[in-house]
Structure formats: structure tokens, C-alpha cells
């Protein structure tokens, strides 16, 4: 049996890679994909921790996370399409209307 | 002769962990979003393998069906709709806020990793799922289904509402404005 800490470490690494992508990529689609990566890191923690405490609640939470991820991807990509239609780009350096 | 049944889970985990890390870096670092999406599919399949090794077969199947089958395909459709150019990765600028956010997260995770590897108690069990009891109840998928449709019935129904709202929102956001339509 692999210790649960290893899974946590792997999830931390995955989350950090996803966060790096979400912060530093300049393409809105890449940002959304990096967020999917971060959600998957969270799912890994849920499954491994749920197994560790010996019940299936973690797996059920993962199903809900997947539902939310699907909704987030659908709405986010619809917004990407709307933004691209209006401004002709998905580069976050150019789309700086909301930037302080 | 070593006992392979003890070594095999470790071999599987470390192989998958290494591959997941490499493929995740490829997802973030790939120049073109299409390549990134394909790497994301590989990543999701690897994670599904890891879930299966954790006796979470239903989650592994849903991961492949929903994530790799539906969400990434949605990404690919949008990428093809938009006809993007390759992103220039060389001149990446980042602000103090972004670097600070990354740094703070890094420090937090270093604390987590340090505590985990130092053997501090995580408040969790010893990693031994009561496989016999779950098998006795009809296997993992049946246990998940029973719980999902009894204890978690309200979140389950709310999830369907959320999906309905997301469908409506996606259509409303992505449709063309009336004034942009050509005059009929």
C-alpha cells in the first residue's frame, strides 16, 4: 500500500503546475485548461483521502467536482467565444478592460 | 525472491506519478492549445489509472467518459472555432501580484509536503480501505451508487440543476447579439 502522503505530494505538484499555467499563460483557453489541471489535483486528494479513511464519500465528492468542472468549462468556453467575437483575440495581455 | 504483491503498488504509483508530472508540464508548456488539449487527455487517462489502482473504478470510468470524452472535446471544438495563432512564449511578463500568488501557494504546499513526509499525523487512517466490507456490500460501484442516491440525493439533484443552468448560460453567452445578425 502506497502511503497517502505520496498522493498528497503528487497532487501538490499537479496543482502548482496548473496554477503556474493559469497565472502565466496568456491564452484564455490555456488558462481554462490549467484550471482543469488544478481541479484534477483536488480530485486526486479526494479519492486518496477517501480511501485512506475507509469510505466512498471522497469518490462521491469527485463526481460533484467533475460536474462543476463540466459546467465551468461550458460557461467559460462560451465566454471565450463571446470575447473572441467582440475583440478578435483571446490574449489576456490585450484584454485588460477589467485589470486594475 | 521478493514479494511482488507488496512492490507492485509502489512501482505503479511512482511510474504514474512521474508520467503525470511530465505530462502536466507538457500541458502547461505546449505552444499550441491543440497539443495542450491532447496532453490533457493523456493526463486524464493516467489519473484514471491511478484512481483504478485506488479501487475507485467508477470514478476512473467517469473520469475517462466525462473528462476525456466530453470536456476536452469541448475544448478542442472551441480551439478549432477560434483559429488561433501560436502564442509567443518568449516574452512572458508577469506582475508582482501573479508572482506573489505563486510564491505564497508554493510556500503553503512546501509546508504540506514537509509535514506529510516528516510523518506528522494527517488525521487520516493508515490507508487501508475496508475492501472486504465494500466487496461484501456488492463492490465499489454499487456502494457509491447506493450512497449517491440515498445520503447524497440532494447534492445529486442540485447538480442536475447546476448543469441545466450551465447549459442555458452557455447558450445565452455564446449566441450572437440580435443587432449583429444580418438583416433578414
Amino acid at each position: 500500500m502506497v502511503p497517502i502522503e505520496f498522493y498528497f505530494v503528487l497532487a501538490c505538484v499537479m496543482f502548482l503546475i496548473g496554477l503556474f499555467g493559469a497565472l502565466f499563460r496568456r491564452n484564455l483557453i490555456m488558462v481554462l485548461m490549467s484550471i482543469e489541471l488544478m481541479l484534477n489535483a483536488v480530485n486526486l486528494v479526494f479519492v486518496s483521502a477517501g480511501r485512506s479513511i475507509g469510505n466512498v464519500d471522497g469518490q462521491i465528492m469527485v463526481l460533484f467536482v467533475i460536474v462543476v468542472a463540466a459546467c465551468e468549462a461550458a460557461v467559460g468556453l462560451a465566454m471565450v467565444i463571446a470575447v473572441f467575437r467582440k475583440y478578435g483575440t483571446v490574449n489576456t495581455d490585450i484584454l485588460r478592460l477589467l485589470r486594475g | 525472491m521478493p514479494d511482488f504483491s507488496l512492490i507492485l503498488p509502489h512501482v505503479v504509483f511512482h511510474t504514474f506519478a512521474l508520467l503525470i508530472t511530465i505530462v502536466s508540464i507538457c500541458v502547461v508548456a505546449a505552444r499550441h492549445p491543440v497539443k495542450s488539449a491532447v496532453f490533457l487527455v493523456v493526463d486524464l487517462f493516467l489519473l484514471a489509472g491511478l484512481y483504478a489502482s485506488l479501487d475507485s473504478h467508477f470514478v476512473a470510468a467517469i473520469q475517462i467518459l466525462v473528462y476525456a470524452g466530453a470536456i476536452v472535446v469541448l475544448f478542442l471544438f472551441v480551439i478549432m472555432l477560434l483559429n488561433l495563432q501560436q502564442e509567443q512564449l518568449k516574452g512572458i511578463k508577469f506582475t508582482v501580484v501573479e508572482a506573489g500568488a505563486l510564491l505564497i501557494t508554493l510556500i503553503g504546499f512546501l509546508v504540506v509536503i514537509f509535514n506529510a513526509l516528516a510523518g506528522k499525523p494527517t488525521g487520516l487512517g493508515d490507508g487501508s480501505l475496508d475492501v472486504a466490507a465494500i466487496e461484501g456490500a456488492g463492490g465499489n460501484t454499487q456502494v457509491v451508487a447506493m450512497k449517491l442516491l440515498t445520503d447524497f440525493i440532494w447534492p445529486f439533484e442540485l447538480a442536475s440543476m447546476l448543469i441545466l443552468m450551465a447549459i442555458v448560460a452557455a447558450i445565452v453567452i455564446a449566441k450572437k447579439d440580435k443587432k449583429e445578425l444580418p438583416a433578414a
Side-chain angles (χ1 to χ4, degrees), chain A residues 2-100:
Chain A
V2 182
I4 186 172
E5 288 84 4
F6 288 10
Y7 290 96
F8 286 1
V9 172
L10 175 61
C12 284
V13 171
M14 264 187 82
F15 192 94
L16 272 177
I17 294 169
L19 183 72
F20 188 86
L23 286 176
F24 295 120
R25 288 304 297 257
R26 290 291 172 249
N27 187 328
L28 273 179
I29 293 179
M30 292 300 309
V31 172
L32 281 175
M33 263 193 267
S34 302
I35 291 173
E36 298 292 332
L37 215 55
M38 288 155 76
L39 285 169
N40 271 291
V42 174
N43 284 351
L44 183 62
V45 172
F46 268 129
V47 171
S48 56
R51 185 188 159 84
S52 178
I53 60 176
N55 63 26
V56 297
D57 287 3
Q59 296 176 41
I60 290 170
M61 292 315 292
V62 168
L63 297 180
F64 291 129
V65 171
I66 289 177
V67 168
V68 173
C71 295
E72 172 251 317
V75 176
L77 288 170
M79 288 167 72
V80 169
I81 289 177
V83 164
F84 186 79
R85 189 178 290 143
K86 192 163 169 61
Y87 297 102
T89 181
V90 289
N91 188 322
T92 52
D93 273 338
I94 299 169
L95 303 167
R96 45 183 310 134
L97 204 62
L98 284 178
R99 185 173 289 177

Side-chain angles (χ1 to χ4, degrees), chain B residues 156-178:
Chain B
F156 185 70
E157 295 294 338
L158 280 176
S160 65
M161 292 291 294
L162 181 68
I163 290 176
L164 186 63
M165 290 194 305
I167 293 170
V168 176
I171 293 171
V172 170
I173 292 171
K175 79 171 182 188
K176 285 184 175 168
D177 285 339
K178 281 228 174 77

